[in-house]
Coordinates of all heavy atoms in Angstrom, one line a residue:
A17 N -25.7 -5.5 -31.4 CA -25.4 -4.4 -30.5 C -26.6 -4.2 -29.6 O -26.4 -3.8 -28.4 CB -25.2 -3.1 -31.3
D18 N -27.8 -4.4 -30.0 CA -29.0 -4.2 -29.2 C -28.9 -5.2 -28.0 O -29.4 -4.9 -26.9 CB -30.3 -4.4 -30.0 CG -30.5 -3.3 -30.9 OD1 -29.9 -2.2 -30.7 OD2 -31.3 -3.4 -31.8
Y19 N -28.3 -6.4 -28.3 CA -28.3 -7.4 -27.2 C -27.6 -6.8 -26.0 O -28.0 -7.0 -24.9 CB -27.5 -8.6 -27.8 CG -27.2 -9.7 -26.7 CD1 -28.2 -10.5 -26.2 CD2 -26.0 -9.8 -26.1 CE1 -28.0 -11.4 -25.3 CE2 -25.7 -10.7 -25.2 CZ -26.7 -11.6 -24.7 OH -26.5 -12.5 -23.8
W20 N -26.4 -6.1 -26.2 CA -25.7 -5.6 -25.1 C -26.4 -4.5 -24.4 O -26.3 -4.3 -23.1 CB -24.3 -5.1 -25.5 CG -23.5 -6.2 -26.2 CD1 -23.1 -6.3 -27.5 CD2 -23.0 -7.4 -25.5 NE1 -22.4 -7.4 -27.7 CE2 -22.3 -8.1 -26.5 CE3 -23.1 -7.9 -24.2 CZ2 -21.7 -9.3 -26.2 CZ3 -22.4 -9.1 -23.9 CH2 -21.8 -9.8 -24.9
K21 N -27.2 -3.7 -25.2 CA -27.9 -2.6 -24.6 C -29.1 -3.1 -23.7 O -29.3 -2.5 -22.7 CB -28.5 -1.7 -25.7 CG -27.5 -0.6 -26.2 CD -28.1 0.2 -27.2 CE -27.1 1.0 -28.0 NZ -27.7 1.6 -29.3
S22 N -29.7 -4.1 -24.2 CA -30.9 -4.6 -23.5 C -30.5 -5.5 -22.3 O -31.3 -5.8 -21.4 CB -31.8 -5.4 -24.4 OG -31.1 -6.5 -25.0
Q23 N -29.2 -5.9 -22.2 CA -28.7 -6.7 -21.1 C -27.8 -5.9 -20.2 O -26.6 -5.8 -20.5 CB -28.0 -7.9 -21.6 CG -28.9 -8.9 -22.4 CD -29.6 -9.9 -21.4 OE1 -29.0 -10.3 -20.4 NE2 -30.8 -10.2 -21.6
P24 N -28.3 -5.3 -19.1 CA -27.4 -4.6 -18.3 C -26.4 -5.6 -17.6 O -26.8 -6.7 -17.2 CB -28.3 -4.0 -17.2 CG -29.5 -4.7 -17.3 CD -29.7 -5.3 -18.6
R25 N -25.1 -5.2 -17.6 CA -24.1 -6.1 -17.1 C -23.4 -5.4 -15.9 O -23.3 -4.2 -15.8 CB -23.1 -6.5 -18.2 CG -23.8 -7.4 -19.2 CD -22.8 -7.8 -20.2 NE -22.2 -6.7 -20.9 CZ -21.0 -6.8 -21.5 NH1 -20.3 -7.9 -21.5 NH2 -20.4 -5.8 -22.0
K26 N -22.9 -6.3 -15.1 CA -22.2 -5.9 -13.9 C -20.8 -6.4 -14.0 O -20.6 -7.6 -14.4 CB -22.9 -6.5 -12.7 CG -22.5 -5.9 -11.3 CD -23.3 -6.7 -10.3 CE -23.1 -6.3 -8.9 NZ -21.8 -6.0 -8.4
F27 N -19.8 -5.6 -13.6 CA -18.4 -6.0 -13.7 C -18.0 -6.6 -12.4 O -18.1 -5.9 -11.3 CB -17.5 -4.9 -14.1 CG -16.1 -5.2 -14.4 CD1 -15.7 -6.0 -15.5 CD2 -15.1 -4.9 -13.5 CE1 -14.4 -6.4 -15.7 CE2 -13.8 -5.2 -13.7 CZ -13.4 -6.0 -14.8
C28 N -17.5 -7.8 -12.4 CA -16.9 -8.4 -11.2 C -15.5 -8.1 -11.1 O -14.7 -8.5 -11.9 CB -17.1 -9.9 -11.1 SG -16.4 -10.6 -9.6
Q29 N -15.1 -7.2 -10.1 CA -13.7 -6.8 -10.0 C -12.8 -7.9 -9.6 O -11.6 -7.8 -9.8 CB -13.6 -5.6 -9.1 CG -14.2 -5.9 -7.7 CD -13.8 -4.8 -6.7 OE1 -12.8 -4.2 -6.7 NE2 -14.7 -4.6 -5.7
Y30 N -13.3 -8.9 -9.0 CA -12.5 -10.0 -8.5 C -12.1 -10.9 -9.7 O -11.0 -11.4 -9.8 CB -13.2 -10.8 -7.4 CG -13.6 -10.0 -6.2 CD1 -14.9 -9.6 -5.9 CD2 -12.6 -9.5 -5.4 CE1 -15.2 -8.9 -4.9 CE2 -12.9 -8.7 -4.3 CZ -14.2 -8.4 -4.0 OH -14.5 -7.6 -2.9
C31 N -13.1 -11.2 -10.5 CA -12.9 -12.1 -11.6 C -12.5 -11.4 -12.9 O -12.1 -12.0 -13.9 CB -14.1 -13.0 -11.8 SG -14.7 -13.8 -10.3
K32 N -12.6 -10.1 -12.9 CA -12.3 -9.3 -14.0 C -13.2 -9.8 -15.2 O -12.7 -10.0 -16.3 CB -10.9 -9.3 -14.4 CG -9.9 -8.9 -13.3 CD -9.6 -7.4 -13.4 CE -8.6 -7.0 -12.3 NZ -9.2 -6.8 -11.0
C33 N -14.5 -9.9 -14.9 CA -15.4 -10.4 -16.0 C -16.8 -9.7 -15.8 O -17.1 -9.2 -14.7 CB -15.5 -11.9 -16.0 SG -16.4 -12.5 -14.6
W34 N -17.5 -9.8 -16.8 CA -18.9 -9.2 -16.8 C -19.9 -10.3 -16.5 O -19.8 -11.4 -17.0 CB -19.2 -8.5 -18.1 CG -18.3 -7.3 -18.4 CD1 -17.1 -7.3 -19.0 CD2 -18.6 -6.0 -17.9 NE1 -16.7 -6.0 -19.0 CE2 -17.5 -5.2 -18.4 CE3 -19.7 -5.4 -17.2 CZ2 -17.5 -3.8 -18.1 CZ3 -19.6 -4.0 -17.0 CH2 -18.5 -3.2 -17.4
I35 N -20.9 -9.9 -15.7 CA -22.0 -10.9 -15.4 C -23.3 -10.1 -15.6 O -23.3 -8.9 -15.6 CB -21.9 -11.4 -14.0 CG1 -21.7 -10.3 -13.0 CG2 -20.8 -12.5 -13.9 CD1 -21.7 -10.8 -11.5
A36 N -24.3 -10.8 -15.9 CA -25.6 -10.2 -16.1 C -26.0 -9.5 -14.8 O -25.9 -10.1 -13.8 CB -26.6 -11.2 -16.6
D37 N -26.5 -8.3 -15.0 CA -26.9 -7.5 -13.8 C -28.3 -7.8 -13.3 O -29.2 -7.0 -13.4 CB -26.7 -6.0 -14.0 CG -26.8 -5.2 -12.7 OD1 -26.7 -5.8 -11.6 OD2 -26.8 -4.0 -12.8
N38 N -28.5 -9.0 -12.8 CA -29.7 -9.4 -12.2 C -29.4 -10.3 -11.0 O -28.4 -11.0 -11.0 CB -30.7 -10.0 -13.2 CG -30.1 -11.2 -13.9 OD1 -29.9 -12.2 -13.3 ND2 -29.9 -11.1 -15.2
K39 N -30.3 -10.3 -10.1 CA -30.0 -11.0 -8.8 C -29.6 -12.5 -9.0 O -28.6 -12.9 -8.4 CB -31.2 -10.9 -7.9 CG -30.7 -10.6 -6.5 CD -31.9 -10.4 -5.5 CE -31.3 -10.4 -4.1 NZ -32.3 -10.8 -3.1
P40 N -30.4 -13.3 -9.7 CA -30.0 -14.7 -9.8 C -28.6 -14.9 -10.4 O -27.9 -15.7 -10.0 CB -31.1 -15.3 -10.7 CG -32.2 -14.3 -10.8 CD -31.7 -13.0 -10.5
S41 N -28.3 -14.1 -11.5 CA -27.0 -14.2 -12.1 C -25.9 -13.8 -11.2 O -24.9 -14.5 -11.1 CB -26.9 -13.4 -13.4 OG -27.7 -13.9 -14.4
I42 N -26.1 -12.8 -10.4 CA -25.1 -12.3 -9.5 C -24.9 -13.3 -8.4 O -23.8 -13.7 -8.1 CB -25.5 -10.9 -8.9 CG1 -25.4 -9.8 -10.0 CG2 -24.5 -10.5 -7.8 CD1 -26.1 -8.5 -9.6
E43 N -26.0 -13.8 -7.9 CA -25.9 -14.8 -6.8 C -25.2 -16.1 -7.3 O -24.4 -16.7 -6.6 CB -27.3 -15.1 -6.2 CG -27.7 -14.1 -5.2 CD -29.1 -14.3 -4.7 OE1 -29.8 -15.3 -5.1 OE2 -29.6 -13.5 -3.8
F44 N -25.6 -16.5 -8.5 CA -25.0 -17.7 -9.1 C -23.5 -17.5 -9.2 O -22.7 -18.3 -8.9 CB -25.6 -18.0 -10.4 CG -25.0 -19.2 -11.1 CD1 -25.3 -20.5 -10.7 CD2 -24.1 -19.1 -12.1 CE1 -24.7 -21.6 -11.3 CE2 -23.5 -20.2 -12.7 CZ -23.8 -21.4 -12.3
H45 N -23.1 -16.3 -9.7 CA -21.7 -16.0 -9.9 C -21.0 -15.9 -8.6 O -19.9 -16.5 -8.5 CB -21.5 -14.6 -10.6 CG -20.1 -14.2 -10.8 ND1 -19.3 -14.7 -11.8 CD2 -19.3 -13.5 -10.0 CE1 -18.1 -14.2 -11.7 NE2 -18.1 -13.5 -10.6
E46 N -21.6 -15.3 -7.6 CA -20.9 -15.2 -6.3 C -20.8 -16.5 -5.5 O -19.9 -16.6 -4.7 CB -21.6 -14.1 -5.5 CG -21.3 -12.7 -6.0 CD -21.9 -11.6 -5.2 OE1 -22.9 -11.8 -4.4 OE2 -21.6 -10.4 -5.5
R47 N -21.7 -17.4 -5.9 CA -21.6 -18.7 -5.2 C -20.5 -19.6 -5.9 O -20.1 -20.6 -5.4 CB -22.9 -19.4 -5.3 CG -23.8 -19.1 -4.1 CD -24.9 -20.2 -3.9 NE -25.7 -20.4 -5.1 CZ -26.8 -19.7 -5.4 NH1 -27.3 -18.8 -4.6 NH2 -27.4 -20.0 -6.5
G48 N -20.1 -19.2 -7.1 CA -19.2 -20.0 -7.9 C -17.8 -20.1 -7.2 O -17.4 -19.3 -6.5
K49 N -17.2 -21.3 -7.4 CA -15.9 -21.6 -6.8 C -14.9 -20.6 -7.3 O -14.1 -20.1 -6.5 CB -15.6 -23.0 -7.2 CG -14.6 -23.7 -6.3 CD -14.2 -25.1 -6.8 CE -13.0 -25.6 -6.1 NZ -12.3 -26.7 -6.8
N50 N -14.9 -20.4 -8.6 CA -13.9 -19.5 -9.2 C -14.0 -18.1 -8.5 O -12.9 -17.5 -8.2 CB -14.3 -19.3 -10.7 CG -13.1 -19.7 -11.6 OD1 -12.1 -20.0 -11.1 ND2 -13.3 -19.6 -12.9
H51 N -15.2 -17.6 -8.4 CA -15.4 -16.2 -7.8 C -14.8 -16.2 -6.3 O -14.1 -15.3 -6.0 CB -16.8 -15.8 -7.8 CG -17.1 -14.5 -7.1 ND1 -16.9 -13.3 -7.7 CD2 -17.5 -14.3 -5.9 CE1 -17.2 -12.4 -6.9 NE2 -17.6 -12.9 -5.7
K52 N -15.2 -17.3 -5.6 CA -14.8 -17.3 -4.2 C -13.2 -17.4 -4.1 O -12.6 -16.8 -3.2 CB -15.4 -18.6 -3.5 CG -16.8 -18.3 -3.1 CD -17.5 -19.4 -2.4 CE -18.9 -19.1 -2.1 NZ -19.6 -20.3 -1.6
Q53 N -12.6 -18.2 -5.0 CA -11.2 -18.2 -5.0 C -10.6 -16.9 -5.4 O -9.6 -16.5 -4.8 CB -10.7 -19.3 -6.1 CG -10.7 -20.7 -5.6 CD -10.3 -21.7 -6.6 OE1 -10.2 -21.4 -7.8 NE2 -10.1 -22.9 -6.2
N54 N -11.2 -16.2 -6.3 CA -10.7 -14.9 -6.7 C -10.8 -13.9 -5.6 O -10.0 -13.0 -5.4 CB -11.4 -14.4 -8.0 CG -11.0 -15.1 -9.2 OD1 -9.8 -15.6 -9.3 ND2 -11.9 -15.3 -10.1
V55 N -11.9 -14.0 -4.8 CA -12.1 -13.1 -3.7 C -11.1 -13.3 -2.6 O -10.4 -12.4 -2.1 CB -13.5 -13.2 -3.1 CG1 -13.7 -12.5 -1.8 CG2 -14.6 -12.7 -4.1
T56 N -10.8 -14.6 -2.3 CA -9.8 -15.0 -1.4 C -8.4 -14.5 -1.8 O -7.7 -13.9 -1.0 CB -9.8 -16.5 -1.2 OG1 -11.1 -17.0 -0.9 CG2 -8.9 -16.9 0.0
A57 N -8.1 -14.7 -3.1 CA -6.8 -14.3 -3.6 C -6.7 -12.7 -3.5 O -5.6 -12.2 -3.2 CB -6.7 -14.7 -5.1
K58 N -7.8 -12.0 -3.8 CA -7.8 -10.6 -3.7 C -7.5 -10.1 -2.2 O -6.7 -9.2 -2.0 CB -9.1 -10.0 -4.2 CG -9.2 -8.5 -4.3 CD -8.5 -8.1 -5.7 CE -8.5 -6.6 -5.8 NZ -7.7 -6.2 -6.9
I59 N -8.2 -10.8 -1.3 CA -8.0 -10.4 0.1 C -6.6 -10.7 0.5 O -5.9 -9.9 1.2 CB -9.0 -11.2 1.0 CG1 -10.5 -10.6 0.7 CG2 -8.7 -11.0 2.5 CD1 -11.6 -11.5 1.3
D60 N -6.0 -11.8 0.1 CA -4.6 -12.2 0.4 C -3.7 -11.1 -0.2 O -2.7 -10.7 0.4 CB -4.3 -13.5 -0.2 CG -4.8 -14.7 0.7 OD1 -5.3 -14.4 1.8 OD2 -4.8 -15.8 0.2
E61 N -4.0 -10.7 -1.4 CA -3.2 -9.7 -2.1 C -3.2 -8.4 -1.3 O -2.2 -7.8 -1.1 CB -3.7 -9.5 -3.5 CG -2.8 -8.7 -4.4 CD -3.5 -8.2 -5.7 OE1 -4.2 -9.1 -6.3 OE2 -3.4 -7.1 -6.0
I62 N -4.4 -8.0 -0.9 CA -4.6 -6.7 -0.1 C -3.8 -6.8 1.2 O -3.1 -5.9 1.6 CB -6.1 -6.4 0.1 CG1 -6.7 -6.0 -1.2 CG2 -6.2 -5.3 1.1 CD1 -8.2 -6.0 -1.2
K63 N -3.9 -8.0 1.9 CA -3.2 -8.2 3.1 C -1.7 -8.1 2.9 O -1.0 -7.4 3.6 CB -3.5 -9.6 3.7 CG -4.7 -9.7 4.6 CD -4.7 -11.0 5.3 CE -6.1 -11.3 5.8 NZ -6.3 -12.8 6.0
K64 N -1.2 -8.8 1.9 CA 0.2 -8.8 1.5 C 0.7 -7.4 1.3 O 1.8 -7.0 1.7 CB 0.4 -9.7 0.3 CG 1.8 -10.4 0.3 CD 1.9 -11.3 -1.0 CE 3.2 -11.2 -1.6 NZ 3.2 -11.7 -3.0
K65 N -0.1 -6.7 0.5 CA 0.3 -5.3 0.1 C 0.4 -4.4 1.4 O 1.3 -3.6 1.5 CB -0.7 -4.7 -0.9 CG -0.3 -5.0 -2.3 CD -1.1 -4.2 -3.3 CE -0.8 -4.6 -4.7 NZ -1.9 -4.2 -5.6
S66 N -0.6 -4.6 2.3 CA -0.6 -3.7 3.5 C 0.6 -4.1 4.4 O 1.1 -3.2 5.0 CB -2.0 -3.8 4.2 OG -2.2 -5.1 4.7
I67 N 0.9 -5.4 4.4 CA 2.1 -5.8 5.2 C 3.3 -5.2 4.6 O 4.2 -4.7 5.3 CB 2.2 -7.4 5.3 CG1 1.0 -7.9 6.2 CG2 3.5 -7.8 5.8 CD1 0.8 -9.4 6.1
E68 N 3.4 -5.3 3.3 CA 4.6 -4.8 2.6 C 4.7 -3.3 2.8 O 5.8 -2.7 3.0 CB 4.5 -5.0 1.1 CG 5.1 -6.4 0.7 CD 4.8 -6.8 -0.7 OE1 4.4 -5.9 -1.5 OE2 5.0 -7.9 -1.1
K69 N 3.5 -2.6 2.8 CA 3.5 -1.2 3.0 C 4.0 -0.8 4.4 O 4.8 0.1 4.6 CB 2.1 -0.6 2.8 CG 2.0 0.8 2.5 CD 0.6 1.2 2.2 CE 0.4 2.7 2.3 NZ -0.6 3.1 3.3
A70 N 3.5 -1.6 5.4 CA 3.9 -1.4 6.8 C 5.4 -1.6 6.9 O 6.0 -0.8 7.6 CB 3.1 -2.3 7.7
K71 N 5.9 -2.6 6.3 CA 7.3 -2.9 6.4 C 8.1 -1.8 5.7 O 9.2 -1.3 6.3 CB 7.7 -4.2 5.6 CG 7.5 -5.4 6.5 CD 8.0 -6.6 5.7 CE 7.6 -7.9 6.4 NZ 7.8 -9.1 5.5
K72 N 7.6 -1.3 4.6 CA 8.3 -0.2 3.9 C 8.3 1.1 4.8 O 9.4 1.7 4.9 CB 7.5 0.1 2.6 CG 8.4 0.5 1.5 CD 7.6 0.7 0.2 CE 8.3 1.1 -1.0 NZ 7.4 1.3 -2.1
E73 N 7.2 1.3 5.4 CA 7.1 2.5 6.3 C 8.0 2.4 7.5 O 8.6 3.4 7.9 CB 5.6 2.7 6.7 CG 4.9 3.5 5.6 CD 3.4 3.6 5.9 OE1 2.9 3.1 6.9 OE2 2.7 4.0 5.0
E74 N 8.1 1.2 8.0 CA 9.0 0.9 9.1 C 10.4 1.2 8.7 O 11.2 1.8 9.5 CB 8.8 -0.5 9.6 CG 9.3 -0.7 11.0 CD 9.4 -2.2 11.4 OE1 8.6 -3.0 10.9 OE2 10.4 -2.5 12.1
K75 N 10.8 0.7 7.6 CA 12.1 0.8 7.0 C 12.4 2.3 6.8 O 13.5 2.8 7.2 CB 12.2 0.1 5.7 CG 13.7 -0.1 5.2 CD 13.7 -1.0 4.0 CE 15.1 -0.9 3.3 NZ 15.1 -0.1 2.1
M76 N 11.4 3.0 6.3 CA 11.6 4.4 6.0 C 11.8 5.2 7.3 O 12.6 6.1 7.4 CB 10.4 5.0 5.2 CG 10.7 5.0 3.7 SD 9.2 5.3 2.8 CE 9.1 7.1 3.1
S77 N 11.0 4.8 8.3 CA 11.1 5.6 9.6 C 12.4 5.3 10.3 O 13.0 6.1 10.9 CB 9.9 5.3 10.5 OG 10.0 4.0 11.0
K78 N 12.9 4.0 10.1 CA 14.2 3.7 10.6 C 15.3 4.5 9.9 O 16.3 5.0 10.5 CB 14.5 2.2 10.4 CG 14.0 1.3 11.6 CD 14.4 -0.1 11.4 CE 13.7 -1.0 12.4 NZ 13.8 -2.4 12.0
E79 N 15.2 4.6 8.6 CA 16.2 5.3 7.8 C 16.1 6.8 8.2 O 17.1 7.5 8.3 CB 15.9 5.2 6.3 CG 16.5 4.0 5.7 CD 16.1 3.6 4.3 OE1 15.4 4.5 3.7 OE2 16.4 2.5 3.9
F80 N 14.9 7.3 8.5 CA 14.7 8.7 8.9 C 15.4 8.9 10.2 O 16.1 9.9 10.4 CB 13.3 9.0 8.9 CG 13.0 10.5 9.2 CD1 13.3 11.4 8.2 CD2 12.5 10.9 10.4 CE1 13.0 12.8 8.5 CE2 12.3 12.2 10.7 CZ 12.6 13.2 9.7
A81 N 15.2 7.9 11.1 CA 15.8 8.0 12.5 C 17.3 8.0 12.4 O 18.0 8.8 13.1 CB 15.3 6.9 13.3
A82 N 17.8 7.2 11.5 CA 19.3 7.1 11.3 C 19.8 8.4 10.7 O 20.8 8.9 11.1 CB 19.6 6.0 10.3
M83 N 19.0 9.0 9.8 CA 19.4 10.3 9.2 C 19.4 11.4 10.3 O 20.3 12.2 10.3 CB 18.4 10.7 8.1 CG 18.9 10.5 6.7 SD 17.5 10.6 5.5 CE 16.9 12.2 5.8
E84 N 18.4 11.3 11.1 CA 18.2 12.3 12.2 C 19.4 12.2 13.2 O 20.0 13.2 13.6 CB 16.9 12.1 12.9 CG 16.2 13.4 13.2 CD 14.9 13.1 13.8 OE1 14.6 12.1 14.4 OE2 14.0 14.1 13.7
E85 N 19.8 10.9 13.5 CA 20.9 10.7 14.4 C 22.2 11.2 13.8 O 23.0 11.8 14.5 CB 20.9 9.2 14.6 CG 21.6 8.8 15.9 CD 21.8 7.3 16.0 OE1 20.9 6.5 15.8 OE2 23.0 7.0 16.4
A86 N 22.4 11.0 12.5 CA 23.6 11.4 11.8 C 23.6 12.9 11.8 O 24.7 13.5 12.1 CB 23.6 10.9 10.4
A87 N 22.5 13.6 11.6 CA 22.4 15.0 11.6 C 22.7 15.6 13.0 O 23.4 16.6 13.2 CB 21.1 15.5 11.1
M88 N 22.2 14.9 14.0 CA 22.4 15.3 15.4 C 23.9 15.2 15.8 O 24.4 16.0 16.4 CB 21.6 14.3 16.3 CG 21.4 14.9 17.7 SD 20.4 16.4 17.7 CE 20.7 17.0 19.3
K89 N 24.5 14.0 15.3 CA 25.9 13.8 15.6 C 26.8 15.0 14.9 O 27.7 15.5 15.5 CB 26.4 12.5 15.0 CG 26.4 11.4 16.1 CD 26.9 10.1 15.6 CE 26.6 9.0 16.5 NZ 26.8 7.7 15.8
A90 N 26.4 15.2 13.7 CA 27.1 16.3 12.9 C 27.0 17.6 13.6 O 27.9 18.4 13.8 CB 26.6 16.4 11.5
Y91 N 25.8 17.8 14.2 CA 25.5 19.1 14.9 C 26.4 19.2 16.2 O 27.0 20.2 16.5 CB 24.0 19.2 15.2 CG 23.6 20.3 16.1 CD1 23.6 21.6 15.7 CD2 23.3 20.0 17.5 CE1 23.2 22.6 16.5 CE2 23.0 21.1 18.3 CZ 22.9 22.4 17.8 OH 22.6 23.4 18.7
Q92 N 26.4 18.0 16.8 CA 27.2 18.0 18.1 C 28.7 18.1 17.8 O 29.4 18.8 18.5 CB 26.9 16.6 18.8 CG 25.6 16.6 19.6 CD 25.2 15.3 20.1 OE1 25.7 14.3 19.7 NE2 24.2 15.2 21.0
E93 N 29.1 17.5 16.7 CA 30.5 17.7 16.3 C 30.8 19.2 16.0 O 31.8 19.7 16.5 CB 30.8 16.9 15.0 CG 30.8 15.4 15.3 CD 31.9 14.9 16.2 OE1 33.1 15.4 16.1 OE2 31.6 14.1 17.1
D94 N 29.9 19.8 15.3 CA 30.0 21.2 15.0 C 30.1 22.0 16.3 O 30.9 23.0 16.4 CB 28.8 21.7 14.2 CG 29.1 21.5 12.7 OD1 30.2 21.1 12.3 OD2 28.2 21.8 11.9
M95 N 29.2 21.7 17.2 CA 29.2 22.4 18.5 C 30.5 22.3 19.3 O 31.0 23.2 19.8 CB 28.0 21.9 19.4 CG 26.6 22.4 18.9 SD 26.5 24.1 18.6 CE 26.2 24.7 20.3
K96 N 31.0 21.0 19.3 CA 32.2 20.8 19.9 C 33.3 21.6 19.3 O 34.2 22.2 20.0 CB 32.6 19.3 19.8 CG 32.2 18.5 21.0 CD 32.8 17.1 20.9 CE 31.8 16.0 21.3 NZ 32.2 14.7 20.8
R97 N 33.3 21.6 17.9 CA 34.4 22.3 17.2 C 34.3 23.8 17.5 O 35.3 24.4 17.8 CB 34.2 22.0 15.7 CG 35.4 22.3 14.8 CD 35.2 21.7 13.4 NE 33.9 22.1 12.9 CZ 33.7 23.2 12.3 NH1 34.6 24.2 12.2 NH2 32.4 23.5 11.8
L98 N 33.0 24.3 17.5 CA 32.8 25.7 17.7 C 33.2 26.1 19.2 O 33.9 27.1 19.4 CB 31.3 26.1 17.5 CG 30.9 26.2 16.1 CD1 29.4 26.4 16.0 CD2 31.6 27.3 15.3
Q99 N 32.9 25.2 20.1 CA 33.3 25.4 21.5 C 34.8 25.4 21.6 O 35.4 26.2 22.3 CB 32.6 24.4 22.4 CG 31.2 24.7 22.8 CD 30.5 23.6 23.5 OE1 31.0 22.5 23.6 NE2 29.2 23.9 23.9
G100 N 35.4 24.4 20.9 CA 36.9 24.3 20.9 C 37.5 25.6 20.4 O 38.4 26.1 21.0
E101 N 36.9 26.1 19.3 CA 37.4 27.3 18.7 C 37.3 28.5 19.6 O 38.2 29.3 19.8 CB 36.7 27.6 17.4 CG 37.3 26.8 16.2 CD 36.5 26.9 15.0 OE1 35.5 27.6 14.9 OE2 36.8 26.1 14.0
S102 N 36.1 28.5 20.3 CA 35.9 29.7 21.2 C 36.8 29.6 22.4 O 37.3 30.6 22.9 CB 34.4 29.8 21.6 OG 34.0 28.6 22.3
V103 N 37.1 28.3 22.8 CA 38.0 28.2 23.9 C 39.4 28.7 23.5 O 40.0 29.5 24.2 CB 38.1 26.7 24.4 CG1 39.3 26.5 25.3 CG2 36.8 26.3 25.0
I104 N 39.8 28.3 22.3 CA 41.1 28.8 21.8 C 41.1 30.3 21.7 O 42.0 31.0 22.1 CB 41.3 28.2 20.4 CG1 41.6 26.7 20.5 CG2 42.5 28.8 19.7 CD1 41.4 25.9 19.3
T105 N 40.0 30.9 21.3 CA 39.9 32.3 21.2 C 40.1 33.0 22.5 O 40.8 33.9 22.7 CB 38.5 32.7 20.6 OG1 38.3 32.0 19.4 CG2 38.5 34.2 20.3
V106 N 39.4 32.3 23.5 CA 39.5 32.9 24.9 C 40.9 32.8 25.4 O 41.5 33.7 25.9 CB 38.5 32.1 25.8 CG1 38.8 32.5 27.3 CG2 37.1 32.4 25.5
V107 N 41.6 31.6 25.1 CA 43.0 31.4 25.5 C 43.9 32.4 24.8 O 44.7 33.0 25.5 CB 43.4 30.0 25.2 CG1 44.9 29.8 25.4 CG2 42.6 29.0 26.1
L108 N 43.6 32.7 23.5 CA 44.5 33.6 22.8 C 44.2 35.0 23.3 O 45.0 35.9 23.3 CB 44.2 33.5 21.3 CG 44.7 32.3 20.6 CD1 44.2 32.2 19.2 CD2 46.3 32.3 20.6
Ligands
ZN202 ZN1 -16.6 -12.9 -9.6

């Protein structure tokens, strides 16, 4: 147990692994092929996610616009109907 206490460790979020928290170890780890691949993969994942998010938001805004249009049409229909009714009232 003392071994872990005396060895401060740093967590690499890209590789999901622990490395010794000292400059040579960190540099060695960051120069590693595995780490570089993991960093690239992470960046690709973030890019992919942000593209997906943008697409989702675009879809949502389109759906919202369609909803708004439908509401506007319904409102116009109501107005027409109300106007028609009031015309009838006037005629009567
Ligand atoms: Zn790493």
Side-chain angles (χ1 to χ4, degrees):
D18 285 345
Y19 172 76
W20 301 114
K21 273 184 199 165
S22 59
Q23 292 275 322
R25 291 184 305 157
K26 191 182 183 317
F27 186 71
C28 178
Q29 56 168 328
Y30 302 108
C31 307
K32 304 269 184 279
C33 70
W34 291 93
I35 47 176
D37 193 11
N38 57 65
K39 224 178 166 204
S41 289
I42 293 165
E43 279 178 359
F44 178 78
H45 177 85
E46 286 179 348
R47 270 201 307 269
K49 203 182 164 198
N50 238 358
H51 175 83
K52 283 182 179 170
Q53 276 178 349
N54 287 330
V55 171
T56 309
K58 188 83 184 170
I59 291 167
D60 282 350
E61 193 194 314
I62 291 166
K63 268 191 202 159
K64 212 178 135 197
K65 268 189 190 162
S66 66
I67 289 167
E68 271 169 17
K69 198 174 164 242
K71 276 187 188 166
K72 215 176 178 182
E73 274 168 9
E74 200 195 323
K75 192 172 168 255
M76 267 169 74
S77 72
K78 270 184 190 165
E79 274 169 13
F80 185 74
M83 253 164 64
E84 224 176 21
E85 206 189 309
M88 198 62 192
K89 264 186 192 160
Y91 171 77
Q92 281 169 346
E93 290 297 314
D94 272 355
M95 287 308 281
K96 263 190 224 164
R97 197 168 49 81
L98 286 172
Q99 277 170 356
E101 274 168 12
S102 60
V103 169
I104 290 160
T105 310
V106 169
V107 170
L108 285 171

